[in-house]
Amino acid sequence: MTPMKSAALLVLALSAAGAHAADGQVINLYSSRHYQTDPALYENFTKQTGITVNRIEAGENEVIERIVKEGATSPADVLVTVDISRMARADAQGLFAPVSSPVLNERIPAHLRTDDWMAFSVRSRVIVHNASVKAAWVQNYEDLANPRLKGKLCVRNGSHPYNLSLGATVLQHNGEKKTEQWAKGIVANLARPPKGGDLDQVRGVASGDCGVAITNSYYLGRLMRSDKPEDKKVIESISIVFPNQKGYGAHVNVSGAGVLKHAPNRENAIRFLEYLASDEAQVYFADGNNEWPAAPTAKSPNPALAQLGSFKADKTNVGDIAKHLATVQQIYEAAGWK
């Protein structure tokens, strides 16, 4: 979405928000999600509560920038965006207000929430490889820095939030010095300069341009659910590894949300988050992007998730991971992971 289009969308949405503000039965949702399942999700909330959801969509960075610029006059009640790093960025800028809710505390596991924001679905950063790389070589994130993978690794740029959050997890468990060595090993093993997104890396493994790559799990879910022959061929050409299953577990990232500091409809906003934590809403929310629900009791019928299978997830608190993001970015830059 171009900045001009997103700005126009925001203006239109703000007009809609004003039309409903008089009766107080409204929340103004700023979101970077753009999934077909979302309208039904929000319509169901309105049916249950009588509260209208005015949805304002923009890119992940644009929506945060908009709230910052609006300041104390912002009509935004709730921010929904993706990745620990983006949630942490909003939190660091003081955009959220703490939420005390027994419902959320019960429904969302402790490691997937902070005082200010929480996860409502999760994805894992996994390893994919082809036959040129033995599965035993890539059982852990740390293995990706092993010299035997020299010239075989494909990965997107180090400044991307997905890789920053992964690196923050590696630092959390291994310390700064070992993470520096790991980042240098990643750069030394690159099959090509980082380019494109996660799907480009996966397709590079399938085509043989590289032997191993890192990707978010939901990209694999999209390929698994695709009817395109070329996507089916990609899945048939790769093997998937959930890393660190004998250790701290596979890194999980999130789609998350929080109530904003200047929310004009705070009580409605909290009710909305509590609704998102319900089993029914959890399935809608997660399935929109082939992710897993955050609430343990919510069971998704998504066939791609079943195909990916169960795994041991890292249960480090998302707030603890966020503390390392700035340091990891410096480590990546020093290592030349650009």
Side-chain angles (χ1 to χ4, degrees):
M1 181 179 293
T2 65
M4 183 176 295
K5 287 183 178 179
S6 62
L9 181 54
L10 285 164
V11 170
L12 288 172
L14 286 174
S15 298
H20 292 278
D23 61 8
Q25 293 304 302
V26 62
I27 64 162
N28 299 318
L29 172 66
Y30 280 36
S31 174
S32 63
R33 285 173 55 92
H34 317 285
Y35 306 125
Q36 293 180 349
T37 53
D38 285 357
L41 179 71
Y42 304 140
E43 288 169 9
N44 192 49
F45 172 71
T46 300
K47 289 178 181 177
Q48 291 185 19
T49 65
I51 299 170
T52 299
V53 179
N54 293 316
R55 180 162 46 125
I56 299 171
E57 290 186 350
E60 287 89 352
N61 295 323
E62 290 172 303
V63 73
I64 293 174
E65 291 168 5
R66 178 78 185 209
I67 297 169
V68 171
K69 289 179 180 177
E70 290 174 342
T73 63
S74 176
D77 294 306
V78 174
L79 169 65
V80 175
T81 191
V82 297
D83 199 271
I84 292 170
S85 66
R86 292 191 180 105
M87 297 299 299
R89 176 188 165 197
D91 199 11
Q93 295 188 69
L95 299 188
F96 295 121
V99 170
S100 178
S101 165
V103 173
L104 292 172
N105 290 345
E106 178 184 352
R107 298 287 302 162
I108 304 299
H111 69 283
L112 293 177
R113 51 184 163 84
T114 71
D115 290 340
D116 295 329
W117 61 270
M118 60 211 67
F120 288 96
S121 64
V122 300
R123 75 282 291 270
S124 182
R125 198 133 183 83
V126 302
I127 295 171
V128 297
H129 66 95
N130 59 28
S132 73
V133 171
K134 295 180 180 179
W137 295 357
V138 288
Q139 290 299 299
N140 304 292
Y141 297 115
E142 292 79 1
D143 295 337
L144 298 173
N146 193 303
R148 64 185 168 194
L149 295 179
K150 187 174 181 63
K152 291 184 176 294
L153 177 63
C154 281
V155 64
R156 71 195 304 165
N157 68 71
S159 62
H160 195 277
Y162 300 163
N163 286 330
L164 290 174
S165 295
L166 171 61
T169 294
V170 173
L171 194 157
Q172 170 75 20
H173 293 289
N174 296 327
E176 193 168 328
K177 185 174 182 179
K178 288 185 177 179
T179 303
E180 290 173 353
Q181 296 170 346
W182 177 75
K184 291 176 181 177
I186 292 286
V187 173
N189 286 343
L190 292 176
R192 62 191 186 195
K195 62 178 182 180
D198 280 10
L199 273 177
D200 296 300
Q201 319 313 317
V202 176
R203 291 189 173 113
V205 172
S207 68
D209 289 345
C210 40
V212 61
I214 313 170
T215 181
N216 277 355
S217 54
Y218 63 80
Y219 289 106
L220 301 175
R222 292 179 190 177
L223 293 173
M224 290 171 177
R225 299 182 75 177
S226 173
D227 293 327
K228 297 179 180 178
E230 59 268 30
D231 290 341
K232 293 182 180 297
K233 186 176 180 181
V234 168
I235 290 296
E236 292 169 357
S237 303
I238 63 172
S239 296
I240 302 166
V241 175
F242 284 94
N244 299 78
Q245 294 302 279
K246 294 183 178 180
Y248 54 80
H251 165 64
V252 293
N253 213 316
V254 306
S255 290
V259 176
L260 294 160
K261 180 168 62 176
H262 301 295
N265 304 288
R266 177 175 170 81
E267 291 185 9
N268 291 348
I270 294 173
R271 288 185 68 183
F272 179 73
L273 294 191
E274 291 175 343
Y275 161 74
L276 288 185
S278 67
D279 280 352
E280 178 184 13
Q282 278 280 283
V283 171
Y284 267 106
F285 191 91
D287 196 50
N289 197 29
N290 297 297
E291 296 181 315
W292 288 275
T297 56
K299 306 300 180 184
S300 172
N302 189 321
L305 299 184
Q307 188 172 345
L308 283 168
S310 60
F311 65 99
K312 177 183 177 182
D314 182 8
K315 293 191 176 181
T316 301
N317 183 271
V318 289
D320 291 334
I321 294 173
K323 294 175 184 177
H324 301 302
L325 290 166
T327 301
V328 167
Q329 186 159 17
Q330 294 172 357
I331 289 173
Y332 284 178
E333 290 174 357
W337 186 356
K338 302 177 180 178

